[in-house]
Amino acid sequence: MIKTVKEYVEEISKYKEDLSEAPITLFRGQTNSDWTIKSSLERELARHGIEEILCEKYYSIIDRYKPLMNPLIEKRYKRQMTSSGYPFNFKEYEKGSWELPEMEYMGYIRHHGFPTPLIDFSRSCFIALFFACADFNQDVKADGKVFLCGPPRVWVGGNEIPALRRIGRYVEAGKRHLAQQSEYLIPTVYNSEWKFITFKKATDNPTNNYMFREITISKDAKAQLMKELNNMNINHYTMFLNEDALIKSFHDDWALEKR
């Protein structure tokens, strides 16, 4: 149960020894320690009693919003759908195992609130701590949690093998992607064609070679931790880089003065 930044850093150092085989350690913060890791797409599908979706169907859904979005944003995303369907063969195993299309677009809409299969992680343990403590000023708050992830050096997958694939930092996914030092994990499976699945299904598979550790953050320490993070210039504005986040950071600053 972590209560100070010093304790947090010490715990991470200890866990990093366990993850020494991984090429990098990734971090994910959640404000409630009872929550498991799920993508926003997984949560959206669960509302309708669904656990997986065909990649082709999902891509056809997100593609249709581009003409509505493009006049309102700086970057333009080209419409891909034609009368013949989406121009990527999701039934071909080798092509889909090498790459999935439009990671930049998917990262962009993920950071702006649209459900995607991308599960956000950060290369920064302090950014993850910020997200674990972000509810510090709410009347009801829970203990937070930071997940540490050690991705394997080589992605392991195969026909009918649920797996996680890692999307690294080198995608043009907007300012928040850079500010949050983001990387992503995507749970997928190939079974005659590529599908997006639940995080649990991917990690429960015995062939999964990702390593995970968890650190619990005391709800009573969240305000003090946020003070220390703010001194590092980690706050709502620097994480989200818009006017709403700027004003929210002022609100947080005022709330922290009273703690």
Side-chain angles (χ1 to χ4, degrees):
M1 183 67 74
I2 298 300
K3 295 184 177 180
T4 68
V5 168
K6 181 175 183 291
E7 291 176 352
Y8 179 64
V9 171
E10 288 173 350
E11 197 74 4
I12 285 174
S13 296
K14 181 175 67 176
Y15 281 148
K16 276 191 172 181
E17 293 179 8
D18 297 341
L19 305 177
S20 60
E21 296 297 318
I24 188 174
T25 304
L26 302 176
F27 305 90
R28 176 179 172 84
Q30 297 186 169
T31 57
N32 191 319
S33 61
D34 291 335
W35 295 343
T36 57
I37 298 178
K38 296 180 180 180
S39 72
S40 55
L41 176 62
E42 181 180 343
R43 293 194 297 269
E44 179 66 25
L45 294 177
R47 295 188 183 101
H48 307 282
I50 303 170
E51 287 194 347
E52 58 186 40
I53 186 172
L54 296 174
C55 290
E56 185 170 14
K57 180 177 181 180
Y58 178 76
Y59 274 95
S60 69
I61 291 170
I62 63 173
D63 190 72
R64 70 191 183 196
Y65 293 111
K66 293 173 184 173
L68 302 177
M69 181 189 307
N70 282 338
L72 304 174
I73 62 176
E74 293 182 12
K75 188 175 177 67
R76 298 292 187 269
Y77 292 98
K78 183 180 178 182
R79 189 81 191 269
Q80 301 291 329
M81 285 290 289
T82 68
S83 58
S84 301
Y86 192 87
F88 187 94
N89 187 2
F90 291 103
K91 291 183 171 65
E92 183 182 329
Y93 171 77
E94 289 298 334
K95 186 174 180 63
S97 66
W98 177 251
E99 64 177 350
L100 289 173
E102 299 199 88
M103 284 297 105
E104 291 84 359
Y105 176 53
M106 205 183 294
Y108 176 81
I109 61 176
R110 168 69 193 97
H111 278 288
H112 289 276
F114 194 90
T116 75
L118 276 64
I119 301 173
D120 303 62
F121 281 79
S122 175
R123 296 165 68 92
S124 166
C125 64
F126 297 113
I127 289 173
L129 182 61
F130 167 84
F131 284 105
C133 297
D135 66 341
F136 80 95
N137 199 33
Q138 294 182 13
D139 292 334
V140 178
K141 55 184 177 291
D143 293 331
K145 183 167 285 185
V146 172
F147 295 90
L148 286 72
C149 169
R153 295 187 181 277
V154 179
W155 174 66
V156 176
N159 192 6
E160 300 187 1
I161 299 177
L164 290 172
R165 60 176 73 201
R166 173 187 167 201
I167 306 300
R169 61 186 299 202
Y170 298 106
V171 293
E172 293 184 35
K175 294 183 288 187
R176 295 180 186 182
H177 168 80
L178 185 62
Q180 295 175 18
Q181 299 186 40
S182 295
E183 296 201 12
Y184 311 94
L185 301 183
I186 306 179
T188 60
V189 70
Y190 181 84
N191 184 357
S192 74
E193 61 184 298
W194 284 101
K195 301 174 184 177
F196 294 126
I197 59 174
T198 66
F199 180 83
K200 187 176 187 303
K201 187 172 184 179
T203 53
D204 281 355
N205 189 281
T207 62
N208 171 62
N209 53 353
Y210 280 72
M211 295 176 285
F212 290 91
R213 300 291 184 271
E214 301 175 4
I215 298 176
T216 303
I217 311 299
S218 170
K219 62 183 178 182
D220 298 323
K222 286 184 176 182
Q224 182 57 39
L225 291 167
M226 287 290 277
K227 276 187 179 181
E228 295 187 55
L229 291 171
N230 195 39
N231 290 337
M232 302 178 196
N233 201 31
I234 298 175
N235 53 54
H236 270 90
Y237 178 65
T238 58
M239 292 297 94
F240 293 98
L241 299 174
N242 61 28
E243 291 183 13
D244 289 343
L246 177 64
I247 303 307
K248 179 67 170 69
S249 69
F250 294 157
H251 182 195
D252 286 353
D253 189 63
W254 182 35
L256 289 170
E257 282 181 5
K258 299 178 285 184
R259 301 286 176 143

